[in-house]
Amino acid sequence: MAYASNFRVLTANRLADGRVVYLGDRDWTVDLGAARLVQTNADAEVAERAGREAVAARLVVEPYLIDVEAEDRGVQPVRLRERIRAGGPTTGNAVAGNAATGAARETA
């Protein structure tokens, strides 16, 4: 059962490895549960400023706010696209690719 909604979280992709990251209280994190919840327009401005600074520092690319719900089972994105991004690749971990060549390889 959802007990809160109308939260947002700033997300981006980490430039070093392409991982989906979220703005936390101190730094970027891959853990959505550790993301800083944005509730007000003032919070959003602060988060977006942090995103612009991280882009300028070449830490992340394309930061944007997403809608999330804080539920009994943790913070969950509202939109399917963001749920897929938060859950990792839909191919699972059996196939990993080489970002530089685009070639896929099997992993154990």
Side-chain angles (χ1 to χ4, degrees):
M1 176 179 162
Y3 58 84
S5 62
N6 298 328
F7 291 110
R8 291 179 288 171
V9 167
L10 190 71
T11 185
N13 286 87
R14 189 167 45 205
L15 193 55
D17 58 8
R19 296 265 325 253
V20 174
V21 290
Y22 305 95
L23 181 64
D25 286 331
R26 295 183 188 180
D27 204 353
W28 293 89
T29 177
V30 296
D31 180 8
L32 179 57
R36 179 190 314 172
L37 295 177
V38 173
Q39 294 180 279
T40 67
N41 288 339
D43 293 342
E45 289 178 23
V46 170
E48 289 175 328
R49 184 178 331 120
R52 287 190 298 273
E53 291 171 0
V55 169
R58 298 185 177 170
L59 299 174
V60 301
V61 293
E62 305 268 342
Y64 59 95
L65 291 166
I66 63 170
D67 293 326
V68 297
E69 293 177 331
E71 303 175 334
D72 294 338
R73 58 189 171 126
V75 176
Q76 299 294 321
V78 171
R79 297 189 60 170
L80 176 61
R81 175 184 190 274
E82 298 304 330
R83 288 180 187 249
I84 292 170
R85 286 182 77 237
T90 55
T91 58
N93 294 321
V95 177
N98 181 330
T101 65
R105 62 179 165 79
E106 293 289 327
T107 59

